[in-house]
Amino acid sequence: LVARGARFSTLNPGLSDFPNYVAGQAVTSVVSPNQKTLLVLTSGYNLLANSAGNTIPADSSQFVFVFNIANKVPVQTQVIQVPNTYNGIVFDPSGARFYVSGGVDDDVHIYDLGAQGWAEDAGSPIALGHNNAGLGLAVQPQAAGIAITANGLGIVVADYYNDSISVLTKGNNNTWSKTG
């Protein structure tokens, strides 16, 4: 029942401690405005432990898998580790930047395209400032879905467990501030 020409690719982040590890919970994907780059975001339980059963923080993260889709066969070109995510990822309209919602870290990560590939922006992450206060018993706020305006000057983040949204606005000096 697979579509003709379809391919199955595991999401191996290439961790030196766990070379055969396959990341789980690919939750969403987004294609760049020029239709040449595909980003696949994981979110979930990508927790890895040492022989004593202790979590290895450097390996226990979420991932953005970057694929070149300019040709018929997608090619994985980069893997970016993100401390926490939920399911929000969006390209800037220019295609030279993308944003990832930071899940329980209650923030937004910014990634810029440079000569060596994608890298986290110096002003990243942007804190949403809910101060660990979610609505409900024993819940933390979570930055979930994310969208950007057509002109790239505004971002809206769905605040899961806060029943609200956060609005970020890009200022004249190319920095973001929370405005709502």
Side-chain angles (χ1 to χ4, degrees):
L1 300 177
V2 175
R4 185 171 303 167
R7 299 180 187 276
F8 178 80
S9 296
T10 58
L11 298 176
N12 182 326
L15 300 173
S16 59
D17 296 341
F18 300 93
N20 297 321
Y21 179 71
V22 175
Q25 295 79 39
V27 293
T28 194
S29 60
V30 64
V31 175
S32 63
N34 69 2
Q35 307 289 302
K36 294 183 179 181
T37 303
L38 169 70
L39 305 175
V40 177
L41 179 67
T42 68
S43 179
Y45 300 96
N46 290 309
L47 301 175
L48 296 166
N50 61 22
S51 59
N54 298 318
T55 300
I56 304 170
D59 292 334
S60 299
S61 65
Q62 303 310 319
F63 304 94
V64 176
F65 289 84
V66 181
F67 291 88
N68 178 332
I69 57 171
N71 298 309
K72 190 174 183 176
V73 177
V75 176
Q76 182 178 312
T77 58
Q78 190 175 354
V79 178
I80 301 165
Q81 287 184 273
V82 183
N84 285 297
T85 65
Y86 195 93
N87 66 1
I89 188 167
V90 65
F91 266 103
D92 183 270
S94 72
R97 182 176 264 195
F98 70 87
Y99 305 88
V100 176
S101 60
V104 295
D105 288 344
D106 193 35
D107 58 17
V108 173
H109 294 267
I110 306 168
Y111 296 90
D112 296 314
L113 181 58
Q116 304 300 315
W118 295 96
E120 191 153 11
D121 184 85
S124 178
I126 304 164
L128 298 180
H130 293 103
N131 302 317
N132 284 334
L135 298 178
L137 295 174
V139 295
Q140 292 180 296
Q142 293 190 34
I146 190 168
I148 192 165
T149 59
N151 64 6
L153 299 177
I155 292 176
V156 176
V157 181
D159 298 322
Y160 192 61
Y161 289 134
N162 283 84
D163 297 336
S164 64
I165 60 171
S166 291
V167 178
L168 303 174
T169 304
K170 187 184 251 184
N172 293 335
N173 56 359
N174 228 16
T175 59
W176 291 93
S177 60
K178 185 175 173 188
T179 55

